[in-house]
Amino acid sequence: MYLAPRALRRALAAATVALLATAVGCAPQPDEKASAAPSGSAKSCAPGKLATKTSGKLTIATDEPAYEPWFKDDRPADGKGFESAVAYAVAQRLGYGKSAVVWQSVPFNKAFAPGVKTFDFDINQVSISTERKKAVDFSSGYYDVRQAVIALKGTKAARATDIADLKDLKLGAQVGTTSLDYISDVVKPKQEAAAFSKNDQAKSALKNGQVDAIVVDLPTAFYITAAEVTDAKIVGQFENQGGTPEQFGLVLDKGSALTSCVSGAVDALRKDGTLAKLEKQWLSEAVDAPVLK
């Protein structure tokens, strides 16, 4: 049937509107619920379904060698030693059993250096600090720690009773640690501190007389003097600076979607007594040492 031009235009316009309405109805629409879910929400913390580096796996990093009493026999994956046990307890809380945990070796300094991480979280006696938070995220603290001084028995350093007695000594510690910070910021010795890439090097320097004393965290000091450098003693421990306890935290990518989930797991382990139980099991000897003031 022939249509007049005006009638034809009306018919074409009506058809176009109908087609557009159909197209809009079939097109993918924004998922308001999905876009509204914040990072680290209850939904994204669903057990075993976190946005990890490898789907279905939780990648945990630490340094090599892995020292006692934090790990046992340099084998992070065996669940023995305080930090190994804590790592698996956190993994379990997140919904990842032991078989779903993958361990990775990452040098101490690299763990909290700027840049994208290859792990989901790192556990390696890394103290939480404002400076480090500029480059990485931290979980809630899983251990309150103090720093301690070790010296060979019978030496001048071994007879130190306060911080003033340490100022004339040659002191050393692992690079990038709060142990080294305590030397420069608290002791302020007359000689520049020796910085070592590994604690093993610091221990060797102590045994060889290259330094008078070394600074490490207190549990490590107890292990070193009991099992590794048995002719050494703990001279004393430092008080926490500023009234706030120094804490070790798990290290994550800056802005990681896992940070709140991991912190939640650590908080739960502290609340239910698991952290205290593991501390008693693996660090029970590291309870007392003279305080250097």
Side-chain angles (χ1 to χ4, degrees), residues 47 75 88 95 98 122 138 187 191 207-208 239 259 268 276 278 286:
R75 294 165 56 189
Y88 280 117
K98 194 169 184 178
D122 177 277
F138 281 97
V187 179
Q191 303 180 60
K207 288 190 285 186
N208 297 332
E239 291 183 303
T259 301
L278 294 177

Side-chain angles (χ1 to χ4, degrees), residues 178-253:
T178 51
S179 302
L180 192 60
D181 291 340
Y182 265 74
I183 296 175
S184 59
D185 299 341
V186 179
V187 179
K188 301 177 182 178
K190 296 176 182 178
Q191 303 180 60
E192 183 178 356
F196 304 97
S197 61
K198 299 278 188 181
N199 262 340
D200 279 345
Q201 295 173 351
K203 289 180 286 188
S204 295
L206 177 64
K207 288 190 285 186
N208 297 332
Q210 295 170 286
V211 293
D212 298 310
I214 60 174
V215 178
V216 295
D217 59 76
L218 188 57
T220 298
F222 273 94
Y223 182 77
I224 288 174
T225 54
E228 296 182 317
V229 188
T230 54
D231 58 341
K233 62 170 286 188
I234 297 175
V235 178
Q237 62 178 309
F238 294 107
E239 291 183 303
N240 284 316
Q241 301 302 299
T244 302
E246 178 184 349
Q247 291 187 314
F248 291 157
L250 306 177
V251 183
L252 301 96
D253 257 324

Side-chain angles (χ1 to χ4, degrees), residues 26-45:
C26 296
Q29 300 300 303
D31 186 344
E32 293 181 3
K33 290 183 179 179
S35 61
S39 172
S41 67
K43 183 176 180 180
S44 62
C45 291

